[in-house]
Amino acid sequence: MKQPNFIVIYCDDLGYGDLGCYGSDTVKTPHLDGLADGGIRFTNWYSNSPVCSPSRASLLTGKYPARAGVGEILGAQRGSHGLPADEVTLAKALKPAGYRTALYGKWHLGLSEETSPNAHGFDEFFGFKAGCVDFYSHIFYWGQAHGVNPLHDLWENETEVWENGRYMTELITERSVDFIQRSREQEAPFFLFTSYNAPHYPMHAPQEYMDRFAHLPWDRQVMAAMIAAVDDGVGEIVKALKEAGCYEDTVIFFSSDNGPSSESRNWLDGTEDVYYGGSAGIFRGHKASLFEGGIREPAILSWPNGWEGGQVRDEVAAMMDIAPTFLDLAGVDPAQGPLQGVALDGSSLKEMLHMREPSPHKQLFWEYQGQLAVREGDWKLVLNGKLDFDRVVPDQVHLSDLSRDPGERSNLADRYPEIVERLSRDVRDWYEEVQRHGS
């Protein structure tokens, strides 16, 4: 069987409720909705972290963040280290199987040369290495409180380049389309990581997109405009695949690194109140929270030659499953090559997707800045939970039955103490293990 191409399209701070196919009544995403109609839309897909760097580390390595050596948001100072050089990314694992690899957009897994995208298996890189940039000047401003001066952050491989005035979302799309067009001249399959920074702050969108949503209040307008620009980019990528004759043979995965941000820095009017531009749908919590709103993500898988379209799947899965799934679909044995001897935490979803097998996960675990969480079946336990970076909740122990209460509004901890005790023990044992046996 022909090896498929792989594309990961990743957003930044996109909420579960921020797409048309996930119930948004304000954001219009016809291209992503079409991708879902022709593929598989997941309702229980999780990020392995409620913030960006750890989520991306899990996506690319197939490991829990702590075991991949990236448990926190990484800094932006030039030369800062990130994803350890000995970690094997999906790009690095696919290369011995003949895959060409490229990443366009946000990296946020290290600014030093040894932790750059090129060092981690990507043949081509165009984008920025830190956590966020101005969408037009490509300058990072947000480290000043931590002693980091503003710095320009746009690179072509290891060479700094300047595209002042060009909208970052459109630059990422252009590079992705060009890579696909060049694939016509190649025999080899490819892995493309299209890593959009939208709709992460700063809240910037071209006027044509703002005009589409002129009826909305500003915070929702600019959010919808930024997402619409991404959606148009997805449309261009799909069009390029079809024109290159490889759409049917390409696996596309779309998702976001974590839930919507409530950070006041999203605002541009000087206020310090919570930002509600993004939507987690019915779920509780935002970015940095281990409640569902911070970690449950929209997720779409498309492969015309591989799966029947129009599916909605409720099985539990996570970002760390993408690497082993793609390797399995490519016919790459993880026990051979660069991954020989490497234990992955994620599992291949091939049997679940092809044979309707249940989720490979009996339990999923999370940790972030003192919070712990575990999901087992419909039970979800959150310890020391927060709603975002700063807002704590009154109950340090919160147990939910997600089948009855997906929004985690009712605390069942007092009614089911034996379940609380068992799940608390499990998540603490897991946390000790990943801390002890991290990268």
Side-chain angles (χ1 to χ4, degrees):
M1 185 177 179
K2 183 179 180 181
Q3 287 178 307
N5 305 306
F6 298 109
I7 299 179
V8 171
I9 304 174
Y10 221 41
C11 276
D12 200 352
D13 293 3
L14 181 78
Y16 187 92
D18 279 331
L19 301 182
C21 56
Y22 280 86
S24 175
D25 58 357
T26 55
V27 184
K28 307 301 181 186
T29 51
H31 299 292
L32 283 164
D33 298 351
L35 200 65
D37 288 343
I40 303 171
R41 183 171 67 85
F42 292 89
T43 63
N44 280 287
W45 192 284
Y46 287 95
S47 175
N48 289 104
S49 174
V51 294
C52 39
S53 298
S55 168
R56 292 159 192 275
S58 285
L59 174 76
L60 287 172
T61 66
K63 295 182 178 182
Y64 279 114
R67 291 198 57 242
V70 182
E72 296 284 348
I73 299 173
L74 295 176
Q77 201 156 4
R78 289 194 179 177
S80 297
H81 293 291
L83 185 66
D86 59 355
E87 287 294 335
V88 180
T89 66
L90 176 58
K92 192 176 289 185
L94 284 171
K95 283 183 68 62
Y99 277 78
R100 297 179 299 115
T101 59
L103 187 156
Y104 304 121
K106 176 172 177 170
W107 173 238
H108 207 188
L109 286 173
L111 280 77
S112 63
E113 190 168 338
E114 62 269 25
T115 60
S116 70
N118 296 126
H120 275 296
F122 288 99
D123 299 323
E124 298 182 22
F125 168 61
F126 171 83
F128 60 100
K129 298 181 181 181
C132 62
V133 290
D134 180 286
F135 277 78
Y136 289 99
S137 68
H138 319 122
I139 291 174
F140 177 88
Y141 294 109
W142 288 272
Q144 294 173 79
H146 305 285
V148 179
N149 288 326
L151 72 158
H152 179 258
D153 189 18
L154 190 64
W155 303 85
E156 183 92 49
N157 297 315
E158 289 300 315
T159 301
E160 186 174 9
V161 294
W162 299 80
E163 292 280 1
N164 196 29
R166 295 294 312 283
Y167 188 57
M168 193 69 214
T169 297
E170 293 173 348
L171 284 171
I172 294 168
T173 297
E174 283 181 13
R175 293 300 182 113
S176 299
V177 167
D178 175 69
F179 180 81
I180 293 166
Q181 290 172 337
R182 285 187 281 120
S183 71
R184 288 178 167 182
E185 306 163 7
Q186 304 284 339
E187 293 285 334
F190 63 78
F191 167 44
L192 168 62
F193 189 1
T194 300
S195 185
Y196 290 111
N197 49 322
H200 193 292
Y201 61 77
M203 311 309 290
H204 291 162
Q207 190 63 45
E208 64 173 293
Y209 289 104
M210 294 295 285
D211 290 345
R212 291 188 193 180
F213 303 96
H215 59 287
L216 296 176
W218 182 83
D219 58 336
R220 296 295 294 148
Q221 178 190 17
V222 70
M223 177 68 69
M226 294 171 79
I227 296 169
V230 169
D231 185 68
D232 278 0
V234 172
E236 291 185 41
I237 288 169
V238 169
K239 179 183 177 183
L241 289 169
K242 291 179 177 179
E243 290 177 348
C246 58
Y247 176 65
E248 288 77 12
D249 293 319
T250 300
V251 181
I252 303 174
F253 174 67
F254 173 88
S255 193
S256 175
D257 55 2
N258 48 253
S261 172
S262 61
E263 296 163 274
S264 60
R265 70 186 72 189
N266 287 281
W267 286 108
L268 299 177
D269 62 357
T271 61
E272 300 293 333
D273 56 331
V274 172
Y275 177 74
Y276 286 114
S279 171
I282 64 170
F283 301 118
R284 183 187 193 191
H286 287 74
K287 177 181 179 180
S289 170
L290 293 187
F291 288 106
E292 295 289 283
I295 53 177
R296 198 188 295 207
E297 298 303 320
I300 300 167
L301 259 176
S302 169
W303 185 19
N305 278 350
W307 302 301
E308 180 183 349
Q311 297 185 56
V312 178
R313 303 293 291 267
D314 299 322
E315 296 91 347
V316 171
M319 300 301 173
M320 64 184 181
D321 297 325
I322 286 297
T325 300
F326 281 14
L327 292 173
D328 199 358
L329 296 176
V332 175
D333 183 359
Q336 307 296 322
L339 280 169
Q340 186 173 4
V342 177
L344 301 182
D345 298 309
S347 299
S348 172
L349 304 178
K350 182 178 178 180
E351 296 302 312
M352 186 185 92
L353 297 170
H354 282 298
M355 308 298 294
R356 294 281 180 172
E357 292 292 321
S359 168
H361 300 292
K362 301 300 183 185
Q363 293 178 316
L364 276 180
F365 300 100
W366 295 267
E367 56 87 16
Y368 184 65
Q369 292 192 340
Q371 302 173 83
L372 294 173
V374 54
R375 176 165 179 177
E376 178 187 274
D378 291 324
W379 293 113
K380 170 84 179 296
L381 180 74
V382 180
L383 304 178
N384 305 315
K386 294 182 177 181
L387 296 178
D388 52 26
F389 286 103
D390 303 310
R391 293 179 294 156
V392 298
V393 297
D395 297 327
Q396 290 187 327
V397 179
H398 194 285
L399 179 70
S400 301
D401 178 352
L402 296 178
S403 66
R404 298 174 180 269
D405 177 29
E408 297 171 292
R409 296 322 195 266
S410 300
N411 190 357
L412 304 178
D414 290 340
R415 289 178 56 186
Y416 299 97
E418 71 285 354
I419 294 177
V420 169
E421 181 181 0
R422 179 174 59 81
L423 293 180
S424 296
R425 181 176 62 250
D426 289 349
V427 71
R428 288 191 172 109
D429 288 348
W430 166 82
Y431 182 58
E432 289 181 9
E433 194 274 334
V434 296
Q435 292 292 99
R436 187 168 59 248
H437 299 291
S439 179

